[in-house]
Amino acid sequence: MTRPHFALAVHGGAGTILKHRMTPEQEDAFHAGLCAALVAGHTVLADGGSALDAVTAAVVALEDDPRFNAGRGAVFNADGGHEMDAAVMDGCTRAAGAIAGVCGPRNPVLAARAVMERSGHVLLAGPGALRFCREQGLAFADDAYFFTEHRWQALLRERERLRLGLPEEDEADEARRHGTVGAVALDAHGHLAAATSTGGMTHKAPGRVGDSPVIGAGTWADDRDCAVSATGHGEWFIRHAVAHEIAARIRLAGQSLARAAHEVVVDELGPLGGSGGLVAVDRTGHIALPFNCAGMYRGFVREDGVPHTAIYAEAYRTG
Ligand code: ASP
């Protein structure tokens, strides 16, 4: 009997992630965080579970890790608050759910999933979204849970930079200003799913919504072509409908996943200044993890259960 074919890829954000600014211990911690997400998703897939459950489990693991800009480690907006965005999409049914600009639900990806499954809508935002989450009995966390010192310091530095009218502080600072987490999966039944969750960008304007909860921009899944979860400067990803653009090239132009993803992220967005990357998987299990900046926290796993993780343009670590 042939083994069921499945695949999962995750990311923990992209940007100016520079090796010389990271200690080996910090690198190890990021690899461990990515591995934990891969294990969480793989456990679901190996049990014959759905791609939707796998991406949800992987993103919950990343939201719970304060190193990543989503859930617990979300960045601060200009007012010193948090506004989180998240989305899920089921490639089997093309059902999608998303929330934007909320702070309270402990795992925003679970709120997005509740929107998909129980609201009759695709995207809920602001106070109405929070009320819906409470009515659905989702777990909430207080401000102390979402406070992380490194994100607070990043906000203070950004405020100071703007007060003094200085250019971007240094190249490493960009990495602290944004980030996102996401997962894509193909399950053993041939279904695709994607999930994305983010705190957005440090010092973003209150009310600003990024690409993550915009279906077709930062998140997409369709069993006919591929599943995509993006990270990067969201305004660019929205304007280029990045995730859907890749799916359309596969379905309508017959491109491979690798070619479509590379062309959109590296050849087109990169030169325009749309910094970022994405993870994607197609209906036959091919995986693509392109980025057009210095690094992207990323990883993938297949049936054998061996996690592969990387940060920069480098060989993947296994195990
Ligand atoms: N895409 C996210 C946003 O624009 C941020 C990121 O992934 O770095 O909200």
Side-chain angles (χ1 to χ4, degrees), residues 45 64 74 93 111 188 195 208 237:
L45 295 173
D64 289 346
T93 57
R208 178 264 188 188
F237 283 72

Side-chain angles (χ1 to χ4, degrees), residues 11 13-15 69 85 174-175 177-181 196-201 204 208-213 218 230-238 275-277:
H11 69 78
N69 173 18
D85 304 333
E174 178 75 3
R177 286 182 52 224
H178 56 93
T180 284
V181 307
T196 312
S197 178
T198 189
M201 302 175 84
K204 66 183 180 182
R208 178 264 188 188
V209 175
D211 59 314
S212 309
T231 173
H233 197 144
E235 281 70 8
W236 290 93
F237 283 72
I238 295 172
S275 157

Side-chain angles (χ1 to χ4, degrees), residues 4-22:
H5 188 54
F6 57 82
L8 170 80
V10 301
H11 69 78
T16 312
I17 306 165
L18 298 173
K19 192 166 176 65
H20 68 269
R21 302 294 294 259
M22 258 219 261

